[in-house]
């Protein structure tokens, strides 16, 4: 008996079509659903970030996230170059509840380990704190606004 194939897989975005899929998911979720202005959704960090993508068996994009590292992450991690910054985590409406978000977080953590990072920071929308806490992240510092929504900083040692 063969094991059932997973309904999706995660991978590092490898080429321009993968990156286009990542950006389309972000546009649908952040710009479309959450009304984040498009001019602040995309930034210069997209060029140097490690992007991950979740895809269905048919190849359609289900979610994405990115990892900033080195100097690009320093502004979000208190200047600590051993800490990466997870961000822009988005899962399409149809894929929510399937574990895609957790799989993307783990894929980003794997990329951080491959880069030799000791921890991952993120800025979570306060309504998502429980999701990240279940994945081992701990909130620190005060709540702050980002793109008009309340957030908290969180960290997980790798």
């Amino acid at each position: 008996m063969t094991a059932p194939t997973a309904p999706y897989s995660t991978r590092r975005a490898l080429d321009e079509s993968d990156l286009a899929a990542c950006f389309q998911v972000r546009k649908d979720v952040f710009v479309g659903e959450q009304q984040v202005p498009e001019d602040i959704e995309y930034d210069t960090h997209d060029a140097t970030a490690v992007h991950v993508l979740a895809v269905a068996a048919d190849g359609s994009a289900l979610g994405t996230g990115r990892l900033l590292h080195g100097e690009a992450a320093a502004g979000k991690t208190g200047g600590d170059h051993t800490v990466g910054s997870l961000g822009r985590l988005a899962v399409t409406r149809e894929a929510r509840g399937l574990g895609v978000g957790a799989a993307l977080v783990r894929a980003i953590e794997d990329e951080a380990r491959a880069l030799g990072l000791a921890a991952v920071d993120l800025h979570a929308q306060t309504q998502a704190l429980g999701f990240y806490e279940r994945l081992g992240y701990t909130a620190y510092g005060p709540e702050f606004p980002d793109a008009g929504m309340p957030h908290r900083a969180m960290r997980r040692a790798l």
Side-chain angles (χ1 to χ4, degrees):
M1 190 164 138
T2 59
T5 56
Y8 60 87
S9 59
T10 59
R11 67 173 186 253
R12 185 176 183 151
L14 301 172
D15 56 29
E16 290 302 317
S17 66
D18 281 355
L19 284 174
C22 292
F23 295 150
Q24 186 60 53
V25 169
R26 285 169 48 186
K27 183 173 184 174
D28 293 346
V29 173
F30 296 127
V31 179
E33 290 181 38
Q34 297 182 357
Q35 306 302 306
V36 173
E38 200 163 353
D39 61 326
I40 65 170
E41 172 51 32
Y42 306 100
D43 60 27
T44 57
H45 296 308
D46 282 324
T48 57
V50 174
H51 298 269
V52 296
L53 182 63
V55 293
D58 68 4
S60 60
L62 301 177
T64 188
R66 75 176 186 186
L67 174 69
L68 304 182
H69 54 94
E71 202 52 47
K76 296 180 182 287
T77 64
D80 188 339
H81 285 252
T82 68
V83 179
S85 177
L86 182 160
R88 302 302 202 271
L89 188 74
V91 175
T92 62
R93 184 177 286 142
E94 333 43 91
R96 291 181 196 146
L98 301 177
V100 172
L104 285 164
V105 170
R106 295 302 184 224
I108 288 168
E109 290 169 351
D110 289 344
E111 295 292 342
R113 280 186 201 89
L115 291 167
L117 300 175
V120 172
D121 263 22
L122 57 87
H123 292 166
Q125 293 178 14
T126 54
Q127 49 94 9
L129 286 172
F131 167 78
Y132 290 110
E133 287 168 346
R134 288 189 294 278
L135 294 173
Y137 287 79
T138 303
Y140 66 91
E143 188 175 279
F144 59 92
D146 189 0
M149 291 172 274
H151 284 67
R152 291 271 316 272
M154 301 185 85
R155 178 172 290 187
R156 179 173 186 257
L158 298 176

